Structure formats: C-alpha cells, structure tokens
Amino acid sequence: MPFESEIGTDAPIGIFDSGFGGLTVARSVLDLMPNEDIIYLGDTARTPYGPLPIAEVREYAIECMDRLVTHGVKALVIACNTASAAALHDARERYDVPIIEVVLPAARRAAAATRNNKVGVICTQATATSRAYDDALAVAPHINLTTAVCPRFVEFVEAGITGGDELLSLAKEYLAPLQRADVDTLILGCTHYPLLSGVISYVLGDQVTLVSSSDECARAAYHSLQRRQVLHDQPRQAQRLLLTTGNADAFEGVGSRLLGGFVEGVQQVHLH
C-alpha cells in the first residue's frame, strides 16, 4: 500500500543496491542529510543485476528490502536503476514507508538541463530492456532519447578501477552512439557510473552535462522526508550500518578505496 503510517524522526533511512554502486547514493544522502542514520545493504553475493531477467531482479530486490524494513526504516531508497525498473511498483504496494528510486528524479533533471532536447542514458541491459527511462521521459515528447548499454562499466567499478587505457578504450566504444546522436545531456543511469564520471566526461567533453542518478535520488529522498517533517534538523552523531550479502572485508576494501572513510565496519548478512 502507499505510505500511510506515521514514521519517527529517529528511524534510519534504508538504502539498497545490488552492490557497491549504491554507495554513491549513500554518500549523496550523507552530504545532504548528515544528521540521518542510514542502513545500507549491498547484494554483492548476487551482483551484477544488469544481465539478469527482470523477474529474478524483482525477487532479489524484494528480499533485500524486506531485510531493511525489519530495521524499522523511515524510508526505503532503491539505489539501483535495474532494481528500480524491476521492483518499484511491487515495493510501493508492499511497504508502508516512502519509496525513493533513481529513475524519475534523474529523468526530470535531464529534461530540465538539456538545451538541444537530445538526451542520452547509459545503463545496464535490464534497465534498457525495461524502457524505464523512455517511460519517465514520455511526458516530454520533444526530447529525443538515445540509450546505450554499458555492462562492463559495472565490472570495472566493482573491481575498484576508475581509470586506465582499457577503461578509456571501452568508454570510447560505449559512448560513440551518444556522440553520433549529438546528445548534450547524459543520464548516468546506473549508480556505479558516477564513479566513472571522470573518464565519461573526458570522452564526451565538457559541453555534455552529466546527470547523476545518485545525486538526484538523494535530493528526492530529502524532499520526501522534508515533506513528512521527519528530518533531523539539529547536529547529532549519526549512525551508519553497512551490510552486504557477500564478503564483508572485500566490500569494505573496495568501498573505502572508492568512497573514503564512511565505508567501515561492514557486516555480512544472510537473507535465507
């Protein structure tokens, strides 16, 4: 059912992703709402979600969100484009807390930012197959959307690699259709991709505006909690609980290299 029940200010924000990428959302959430407790769950045992059938992604996503809900969260952030495309409708029917996702906020920002009405999105195969961004931009028929599937980008991020000749060569290959389409705005339609914004911007040039689904998702979360008047507005020592279905040491190692000191004390959880 849609959100109806009261939620307490002291409850944490739950953030879910298939792996490390959602840490970019968590970092954006912490930047905007540093006084909020967060619980993050990365399903690294089953990542990547991108190549999986939509039904399988939906099943995994619901399992992970069920776990977060047991912690009494005041909002659920689906920090994964693939999971947002697969499970958003089910989540909004299943849970009675606000559900914030990554697709619509990024699409809205891109529609506002474009100057020539040519927008690109890079994403996983599952997100492309779902046509989630096509649907989100359907309200702006004047915008011409070009989609490019970039599956191996996730592999590089999960390995902690954000530069080098191999990645640059791959980026040039993946981004060529967007250059041919003359896009002036590009949605980073996977929360792993902001970690590759350096190489993406290098290939496309400064004239192309990059829209981070992570940043836009965090803003949407802020707006949702502000409307419900459940934000902490005073400085406090916020708590961070980081969970993974995979190896906790590996998650902490890669996460801390990519995103710094807040990735520490990671715990492994089993969903079955």
Side-chain angles (χ1 to χ4, degrees), residues 116 118 177-184:
N116 68 1
K118 296 178 181 178
L178 303 166
Q179 292 175 305
R180 291 194 293 270
D182 192 31
V183 303
D184 75 348

Side-chain angles (χ1 to χ4, degrees), residues 15-183:
I15 304 174
F16 153 67
D17 183 53
S18 61
F20 298 103
L23 290 172
T24 61
V25 175
R27 182 172 63 181
S28 295
V29 166
L30 294 177
D31 288 344
L32 289 180
M33 297 173 277
N35 301 318
E36 298 296 333
D37 296 343
I38 66 164
I39 301 176
Y40 180 94
L41 174 56
D43 192 13
T44 50
R46 299 183 291 199
T47 198
Y49 281 7
L52 300 177
I54 291 292
E56 194 169 351
V57 172
R58 185 180 299 115
E59 176 188 347
Y60 292 168
I62 293 296
E63 286 180 0
C64 291
M65 287 187 283
D66 280 353
R67 179 58 180 260
L68 286 172
V69 166
T70 66
H71 290 272
V73 297
K74 63 182 175 185
L76 270 175
V77 178
I78 307 178
C80 174
N81 284 257
T82 302
S84 290
L88 178 61
H89 178 74
D90 299 81
R92 286 187 168 151
E93 288 191 341
R94 188 177 183 89
Y95 310 116
D96 64 349
V97 297
I99 310 294
I100 298 98
E101 48 90 30
V102 286
V103 174
L104 188 56
R108 285 174 175 161
R109 176 66 188 137
T114 183
R115 303 173 302 281
N116 68 1
N117 295 326
K118 296 178 181 178
V119 172
V121 59
I122 54 175
C123 57
T124 66
Q125 184 60 60
T127 300
T129 300
S130 75
R131 297 183 62 83
Y133 280 98
D134 301 79
D135 293 343
L137 287 166
V139 295
H142 59 285
I143 289 180
N144 183 12
L145 181 66
T146 302
T147 301
V149 175
C150 306
R152 291 194 60 211
F153 275 174
V154 173
E155 297 174 17
F156 279 87
V157 171
E158 296 279 330
I161 300 169
T162 58
D165 290 342
E166 184 180 1
L167 178 59
L168 178 59
S169 176
L170 186 67
K172 289 178 177 178
E173 176 187 338
Y174 281 161
L175 300 173
L178 303 166
Q179 292 175 305
R180 291 194 293 270
D182 192 31
V183 303

Side-chain angles (χ1 to χ4, degrees), residues 27 252 254-264:
R27 182 172 63 181
E252 186 167 329
V254 173
S256 60
R257 284 198 302 274
L258 291 172
L259 287 147
F262 88 88
V263 184
E264 58 186 10

Side-chain angles (χ1 to χ4, degrees), residues 176-262:
L178 303 166
Q179 292 175 305
R180 291 194 293 270
D182 192 31
V183 303
D184 75 348
T185 304
L186 177 66
I187 300 169
L188 306 181
C190 173
T191 50
H192 288 71
Y193 296 172
L195 292 164
L196 302 179
S197 58
V199 69
I200 292 167
S201 183
Y202 180 81
V203 172
L204 293 179
D206 292 339
Q207 75 280 4
V208 176
T209 299
L210 302 185
V211 174
S212 164
S213 57
S214 299
D215 289 344
E216 300 310 318
C217 177
R219 289 190 186 97
Y222 181 98
H223 293 168
S224 178
L225 295 176
Q226 178 62 48
R227 283 195 302 270
R228 291 168 171 82
Q229 298 184 318
V230 291
L231 282 175
H232 279 287
D233 57 5
Q234 297 296 318
R236 61 189 289 272
Q237 186 62 48
Q239 303 298 310
R240 324 280 187 232
L241 176 59
L242 303 179
L243 308 173
T244 178
T245 58
N247 183 282
D249 290 338
F251 187 97
E252 186 167 329
V254 173
S256 60
R257 284 198 302 274
L258 291 172
L259 287 147
F262 88 88

